[in-house]
Amino acid sequence: MIDVAIVGAGPAGLSLALALRAVAPHLKVKVFERSAALVPSGAAVTLFANGLNALEAISPAALEAVEAAGTPGAGMVAHNARTDDVEHVNPATEWKVSPDGPPLRSSLFIPWFRLQCALLCAWGGKQGEDLVLGKALQGIQQDDTGATMTFKDGSTAKACVVVGADGNMSAVRNALFSEMPEYIGTAFWRALLSPLPASWDLSQDHNKPGWLHNWVDKTTGKLMMIRVFDDQMSVSAASSWPEERLQELWRRSYYGEGSE
C-alpha cells in the first residue's frame, strides 16, 4: 500500500513530494496526474520571497533549478488603464516589509511548465513508478485501513493518506465533499507569447526582462498584467463576466481526455 498518494503533478504536488523525500525518505510516495503526458501548457507565475524561502527550506537544489529556469523580478510599472500613462515605477530593490528594513528577496517570473519540469527533475521521481500519468480521479472511499482511489480508467489505488494538490477545480475536494468553487463573477484570461512580440521595445529600461506591467481600471474592475521573460511574455487579464456565458470561456482541456 502507498503511504502518501498525491493527486496532481503541478507545483504544489511536486513540492510536497520533494518535501516528503527530504524529511521522510522511508515513505512510499506516489503522484497521480490526470494528464496523459507532461507537455508545455499553462501560462506563467510569479514566485515571491516567501515561496522562494519555502522552496529553499525544502531543497536548496530545487531552488537552484527553479531559479535557473526563471527570470528574477526587476520591478513593477503601474499604468493608467485609460491613458496608458505610467503612474508609478516600483523597482524590486525598494520592496521591503518595513520602510527601514532590508530589501525583500527578489521575486521570480517563471512559465508554469518550466516550474513543473524543474521541480520534477529535482524530485527525481520515476515515471510509471513514482509518477503515474493518465489517472483522472473519480472517487475516494475511506475506511479504518486507508483510502481507496478510483480512477476514470477503472483502476484503483490504496493509500494511508491522500493529498489533493489538483488545483482550484479539485477532483479530490469534489469526491470528498461534493462541492466545487462558487463563481464570483470574474473571468481570467492567461496567455504565454513566445517569442516576445516584435513591437515590444526592449531598449526601454522598464521593458527589459524581469519587469511586470499592470493596468487596473478602478471603475470597471478590469485588470491586465504583462510579465517579461528573457524570451517570452506572459499576459494575464481579468474582467467581470456573466455566469450564463461561462460556457464560452470553459475550454480547459486535459491531455488524453478531451475538453471539460
Side-chain angles (χ1 to χ4, degrees):
M1 186 166 68
I2 304 165
D3 291 311
V4 181
I6 302 170
V7 179
L14 294 176
S15 294
L16 176 58
L18 262 168
L20 289 174
R21 177 161 290 184
V23 300
H26 62 283
L27 292 179
K28 183 179 181 181
V29 178
K30 186 169 287 192
V31 178
F32 296 88
E33 167 58 39
R34 68 182 302 162
S35 298
L38 299 183
V39 297
S41 60
V45 297
T46 300
L47 300 179
F48 291 98
N50 54 346
L52 295 172
N53 291 339
L55 183 57
E56 184 175 34
I58 293 172
S59 168
L63 175 65
E64 183 177 346
V66 168
E67 287 182 328
T71 301
M76 183 180 69
V77 181
H79 297 258
N80 184 297
R82 296 180 181 270
T83 67
D84 197 33
D85 292 337
V86 174
E87 295 185 335
H88 184 66
V89 176
N90 189 1
T93 53
E94 297 180 3
W95 296 358
K96 301 178 180 181
V97 175
S98 62
D100 299 327
L104 288 171
R105 184 177 201 158
S106 176
S107 59
L108 187 77
F109 299 167
I110 184 169
W112 191 94
F113 181 65
R114 289 186 188 176
L115 175 60
Q116 183 188 46
C117 289
L119 292 173
L120 182 60
C121 290
W123 173 43
K126 296 180 179 179
Q127 189 169 315
E129 297 180 18
D130 307 307
L131 170 64
V132 186
L133 301 177
K135 294 297 180 181
L137 184 74
Q138 187 170 45
I140 301 176
Q141 295 294 323
Q142 303 180 80
D143 56 30
D144 293 339
T145 63
T148 299
M149 299 170 291
T150 302
F151 301 98
K152 290 184 179 180
D153 63 1
S155 63
T156 62
K158 189 169 185 177
C160 296
V161 176
V162 175
V163 179
D166 50 342
N168 65 322
M169 306 301 290
S170 173
V172 173
R173 178 182 56 223
N174 191 41
L176 293 176
F177 307 109
S178 299
E179 64 179 34
M180 296 297 280
E182 181 181 351
Y183 181 61
I184 61 172
T186 301
F188 290 84
W189 292 262
R190 299 180 180 89
L192 197 60
L193 307 181
S194 180
L196 286 171
S199 59
W200 189 259
D201 186 1
L202 284 170
S203 67
Q204 297 186 32
D205 287 342
H206 298 154
N207 282 358
K208 294 183 184 302
W211 282 91
L212 182 150
H213 295 253
N214 68 41
W215 293 258
V216 180
D217 190 322
K218 297 179 181 179
T219 302
T220 64
K222 293 181 179 179
L223 162 71
M224 186 171 78
M225 289 194 305
I226 289 177
R227 302 179 183 92
V228 185
F229 301 90
D230 292 329
D231 55 349
Q232 296 175 311
M233 172 186 290
S234 168
V235 180
S236 305
S239 177
S240 58
W241 192 267
E243 187 170 7
E244 61 270 17
R245 293 180 58 193
L246 276 179
Q247 289 301 320
E248 298 176 26
L249 305 177
W250 198 245
R251 297 175 181 173
R252 172 178 290 191
S253 62
Y254 297 92
Y255 295 96
E257 202 181 352
S259 300
E260 293 191 351

